[in-house]
Amino acid sequence: MAVEQAARCAAGHPGLRAVTVDATPYHDAGGSDAEELGCSIATGVAYLRALTAPRPGGAGLSVPEALAQIDFRYAATADQFLTVAKLRAARRLWARVAEACGAPGDGGQRQHAVTSSAMMTARDPWVNMLRTTVACFAAGVGGAGAVTVQPFDACLGLPDDFARRIARNTQTLLLEEAHVGRVADPAGGSWYAESLTAGLAEAAWAWFQEIERAGGMAAALASGLVQARLAATAARRAQDVGHRRAPITGVSEFADPAEKPVVRRPGTGLAAWGEDGGLPLVRPAAPFEELRDRADAIAAETGARPLVFLATIGPVAAHTARASFAANLFQAGGLATTTAGATTDPAEIAAAYARSGARVACLCSADKLYAEHAAPVAAALREAGAARVWLAGRGEYEGVDGTLYAGCDALAVLRATFADIEKADIEKEVTR
């Protein structure tokens, strides 16, 4: 069908393009920027072959005519420099394809940028307005000819009127107030932007060549090569998010457990993405959001949010930093926290723990105080019924089950804490 439409457009509708190479599914399935670019170029070359093939199987177009029929669509993310470099690298790559096909003067790539679906969050979705604004800015600076800004609530269902209006007005504000469209290539000449562009283009070209060696895009998809590569990248990204090396504001960092979920009418938008059996939509925020849903369900059923007791040891100055770190981590899973106050007395901390009704505790203090107090406080908490005792920091101490620190597996910590809380609650019910 696309081949027939391209032939008709080339023959009787100058300026109208019939084919769009949509690279956003590769991005949304977890692919890196270089992989998104490589897949787009491989797909574009596949279309180019079909359009220049003789009839009846092909469109019978010349290379310049075929190039004039192809548009490209890319994802724009809140990583503004990578988005700028990606769009610039895409034009460089497609120009190289045109040159290799004998039409060096016809390799201008027309680009449509769409704000990333994968970067959207269902929790604290208001932050999505900031993400899409940065992405839209980057798309304009990167040279996209057209930009679509998705509503901030797109992954929740049908966007409401306010979300659609803000999405429509974002690029207008950037054009009228930031004057993004006044300069053809604002990043041109910047060493960082040029270096990043060149690196992305080189990596994308290598991936494109690998796809070509596999027989082209259709063969690479049929063999699972593309899916495996995207899944591997998505898994690495999930590790970074799960360990909070790639923080997501409002979700893995600075979450509000008491936040009321934003509800939208069911629709066929991002919430239903991938249900047709195609490439999946991989949202890095989803694992944390699932835990938040779990905590909300417990709170709705019991009337109280799952609680973690922070056994703060010593004066405020000694324990505040690690208590804040631990609270931030637990709240990313929807868990509430309460503290023991400024004390070093194990009996006093254990009594505060018993009054709190928590099932899990976390020691929070400075390393010097841990050396003296961690073991006796942990023992007192165990005696008071703690199912698990965490420690904010590093090191091994008697009675401590695990440690929390920058770069630890936050998702594993949260899942273990949920399991302990739910097990303790079941045991409590059984003994009644």
Side-chain angles (χ1 to χ4, degrees):
M1 182 63 73
V3 169
E4 296 172 2
Q5 290 177 343
R8 287 198 298 270
C9 288
H13 304 280
L16 184 62
R17 302 192 177 204
V19 177
T20 296
V21 174
D22 190 355
T24 59
Y26 307 114
H27 165 84
D28 293 336
S32 67
D33 293 285
E35 288 163 353
E36 180 186 354
L37 286 174
C39 288
S40 75
I41 299 304
T43 304
V45 167
Y47 278 123
L48 200 57
R49 290 192 179 106
L51 294 177
T52 56
R55 298 191 179 195
L61 302 180
S62 66
V63 171
E65 289 174 330
L67 289 168
Q69 287 300 309
I70 302 175
D71 276 350
F72 287 80
R73 183 178 298 136
Y74 293 103
T77 73
D79 191 327
Q80 61 179 349
F81 293 110
L82 272 174
T83 296
V84 169
K86 177 169 66 177
L87 295 175
R88 298 174 84 248
R91 294 194 293 274
R92 182 180 300 187
L93 292 166
W94 194 238
R96 178 69 186 93
V97 169
E99 181 183 13
C101 293
D106 298 288
Q109 187 186 74
R110 192 156 72 177
Q111 297 174 331
H112 171 206
V114 181
T115 55
S116 167
S117 300
M119 74 175 178
M120 304 293 266
T121 65
R123 290 290 181 159
D124 204 353
W126 314 103
V127 181
N128 290 332
M129 286 189 278
L130 302 178
R131 297 183 179 104
T132 55
T133 299
V134 173
C136 181
F137 171 82
V141 171
V147 181
T148 297
V149 177
Q150 298 201 67
F152 72 88
D153 54 358
C155 64
L156 297 171
L158 290 175
D160 66 5
D161 293 342
F162 171 75
R164 291 195 295 270
R165 180 167 62 85
I166 290 297
R168 287 193 304 269
N169 290 344
T170 297
Q171 56 186 300
T172 301
L173 290 169
L174 289 170
L175 285 169
E176 299 298 328
E177 297 187 13
H179 306 293
V180 172
R182 292 254 178 127
V183 180
D185 186 11
S190 160
W191 177 88
Y192 178 65
E194 297 292 355
S195 176
L196 192 57
T197 299
L200 268 179
E202 184 177 348
W205 191 260
W207 171 228
F208 159 65
Q209 289 180 315
E210 185 176 345
I211 294 173
E212 287 294 288
R213 285 193 297 270
M217 195 62 191
L221 284 168
S223 68
L225 171 65
V226 172
Q227 294 91 326
R229 181 66 64 89
L230 300 181
T233 303
R236 290 193 297 271
R237 183 171 294 150
Q239 284 286 311
D240 287 338
V241 171
H243 287 252
R244 302 203 303 174
R245 293 188 290 263
I248 303 175
T249 302
V251 178
S252 66
E253 296 281 1
F254 311 115
D256 178 10
E259 171 200 354
K260 293 183 179 179
V262 177
V263 179
R264 293 289 184 265
R265 288 183 299 156
T268 56
L270 301 187
W273 187 278
E275 292 182 358
D276 59 354
L279 291 173
L281 167 59
V282 179
R283 287 196 309 109
F288 283 98
E289 292 174 347
E290 289 168 3
L291 292 174
R292 295 275 292 277
D293 292 342
R294 191 171 169 184
D296 286 351
I298 294 173
E301 181 180 349
T302 65
R305 183 163 295 279
L307 183 68
V308 175
F309 180 80
L310 304 183
T312 47
I313 302 172
V316 171
H319 68 241
T320 294
R322 281 177 169 161
S324 299
F325 171 82
N328 189 27
L329 190 155
F330 288 119
Q331 288 165 6
L335 302 171
T337 57
T338 186
T339 65
T343 179
T344 58
D345 183 1
E348 188 176 343
I349 293 174
Y353 167 81
R355 290 193 300 272
S356 73
R359 301 287 180 266
V360 174
C362 179
L363 308 186
C364 302
S365 191
D367 291 339
K368 289 183 178 179
L369 291 176
Y370 281 154
E372 180 180 356
H373 300 289
V377 171
L381 290 169
R382 291 285 190 192
E383 184 66 24
R388 184 181 295 264
V389 177
W390 296 103
L391 180 140
R394 293 180 182 268
E396 296 183 3
Y397 301 91
E398 186 177 352
V400 171
D401 297 301
T403 55
L404 318 179
Y405 51 87
C408 72
D409 190 340
L411 282 173
V413 169
L414 290 170
R415 286 166 180 156
T417 301
F418 267 100
D420 291 329
I421 291 172
E422 290 168 350
K423 180 181 178 181
D425 287 340
I426 291 172
E427 292 175 348
K428 183 178 179 181
E429 288 295 324
V430 170
T431 57
R432 282 182 178 179

